[in-house]
Amino acid sequence: MKIINTIEELQTIRKELKGTIGFVPTMGALHEGHISLIKNARVNNDIVIVSIFLNPTQFLPNEDLDKYPKKDAADKRICELCKVDYLFMPDVNSMYQSNDEISIKAPKITGFILEGEKRPGHFDGVLQVVLKLFNLVQPSNAYFGKKDAQQLSLISQMVKNLFLPINIVECDIIREADGLAMSSRNIYLSIEERKEALAISKSLNMTIIAVTKGERDAKTIKTKMKEIMSNLDVEYVAIINRNFEEIQTIEVKNTIILIACKVGNTRLIDNMWI
Ligand code: AMP
């Protein structure tokens, strides 16, 4: 595996690459969720490129940019074991040339609900950095987790709206054995909070059981979910279709149920695709 730290080096190497390129953008502190994306890329491409870049423009001023976990040595080892060809780890000054760059705006409706409402500006930053990375890496296939469902949807829309010749691959959510969705932020949780956080996946699992038994009413399901998560500081529970429009009646194969909540000081998101 070759580690690339500069943009110039990446561009020089990229010119010589032949075959399909699978790209996995991450912010590091890699876990099984990231690994599943990398494995998917490895199986389906000639060359695999992973990026690790803690992107400041997608963090709000009061968020955890400064304390976001950094595990460069372990991350490099993981990428090596997963047979990644190139690990791109640029520094912030090379990715951003000034504070007043040409920017990209998330769409007014789907970019400003749910995460976009709770974290204004977040998706502008996500789209900005992903577009920069796409332009540098020029992947055939780019891998994103359903864990960040709204991000995945907006990136797919960006690819479509801006005619980018990239196939976006949606990857399933990877969970701990007890159901907690894997996240780099889970390490912030105390032992007690970690237990409390299980209410999130429990409430999502309940929705599957309810829908299997025939329940289709979104309001009823939301009420039951909030009961299960009554100990948590729930920011939102949303039931939407795959176009991110709120729905009253669950449509099987066209519904996503999303949760954002705070467990202690840690903000967690999770969802279930039904
Ligand atoms: P991040 O490093 O948090 O920016 O995540 C990088 C990519 O990994 C994104 O596409 C995430 O959606 C994906 N990802 C993070 N956690 C998981 C998970 N538990 N299961 C699947 N994909 C994930």
Side-chain angles (χ1 to χ4, degrees):
M1 181 179 82
K2 177 154 183 53
I3 295 172
I4 303 176
N5 290 116
T6 69
I7 295 202
E8 294 69 28
E9 197 183 3
L10 175 63
Q11 287 175 320
T12 306
I13 289 173
R14 177 64 188 89
K15 272 189 203 142
E16 303 302 322
L17 297 180
K18 305 255 175 335
T20 55
I21 295 180
F23 177 46
V24 183
T26 80
M27 297 202 298
L30 303 182
H31 51 66
E32 290 294 335
H34 300 110
I35 292 172
S36 74
L37 270 53
I38 298 172
K39 283 185 175 162
N40 198 342
R42 183 67 283 167
V43 171
N44 293 299
N45 296 274
D46 299 314
I47 292 157
V48 174
I49 304 182
V50 172
S51 66
I52 295 181
F53 179 64
L54 190 54
N55 174 39
T57 65
Q58 70 188 72
F59 286 78
L60 271 62
N62 59 339
E63 291 185 341
D64 57 344
L65 175 63
D66 295 337
K67 64 175 179 120
Y68 197 84
K70 209 168 159 47
K71 299 190 172 176
D72 284 357
D75 289 349
K76 286 178 190 167
R77 185 86 193 104
I78 288 170
C79 288
E80 245 162 20
L81 290 171
C82 292
K83 305 213 173 338
V84 168
D85 296 295
Y86 298 97
L87 175 57
F88 179 47
M89 303 175 78
D91 66 30
V92 68
N93 295 325
S94 55
M95 287 296 283
Y96 290 100
Q97 290 120 45
S98 84
N99 289 328
D100 188 28
E101 290 197 343
I102 303 268
S103 60
I104 175 155
K105 289 267 167 249
K108 289 193 187 67
I109 300 171
T110 50
F112 286 86
I113 53 170
L114 307 169
E115 289 303 284
E117 187 186 348
K118 299 291 174 197
R119 306 179 70 190
H122 166 68
F123 287 125
D124 296 348
V126 170
L127 296 173
Q128 182 182 29
V129 78
V130 170
L131 182 57
K132 280 173 185 266
L133 290 166
F134 280 175
N135 285 334
L136 289 167
V137 173
Q138 298 169 42
S140 330
N141 300 300
Y143 295 78
F144 292 89
K146 289 180 175 177
K147 161 91 171 20
D148 299 279
Q150 196 173 3
Q151 166 178 289
L152 171 57
S153 165
L154 290 169
I155 289 168
S156 300
Q157 190 182 341
M158 176 173 75
V159 163
K160 190 163 169 253
N161 290 167
L162 301 185
F163 310 113
L164 305 179
I166 299 169
N167 176 43
I168 300 297
V169 184
E170 303 181 345
C171 301
D172 287 338
I173 300 177
I174 304 297
R175 298 176 178 282
E176 304 278 1
D178 58 11
L180 183 68
M182 300 239 179
S183 165
S184 304
R185 292 188 165 99
N186 288 350
I187 61 161
Y188 300 150
L189 300 170
S190 69
I191 294 171
E192 203 44 49
E193 289 167 349
R194 172 80 183 59
K195 278 188 206 146
E196 285 169 15
L198 291 180
I200 303 168
S201 51
K202 250 192 211 158
S203 76
L204 288 169
N205 286 337
M206 176 280 294
T207 67
I208 303 265
I209 296 166
V211 170
T212 308
K213 286 185 180 159
E215 182 61 75
R216 294 289 181 274
D217 184 49
K219 208 168 153 197
T220 308
I221 289 197
K222 272 191 203 174
T223 307
K224 284 189 187 158
M225 290 175 73
K226 285 182 184 161
E227 271 167 30
I228 296 172
M229 294 190 291
S230 59
N231 283 342
L232 303 180
D233 178 6
V234 177
E235 283 188 7
Y236 62 76
V237 172
I239 302 191
I240 57 164
N241 62 22
R242 303 277 159 96
N243 295 325
F244 273 76
E245 295 154 338
E246 201 171 344
I247 50 175
Q248 306 307 323
T249 307
I250 290 188
E251 305 155 18
V252 175
K253 292 200 162 47
N254 188 29
T255 298
I256 312 175
I257 304 184
L258 305 109
I259 296 171
C261 65
K262 276 219 158 153
V263 185
N265 289 324
T266 307
R267 188 171 185 277
L268 299 177
I269 57 170
D270 198 354
N271 64 71
M272 184 71 78
W273 296 48
I274 288 181

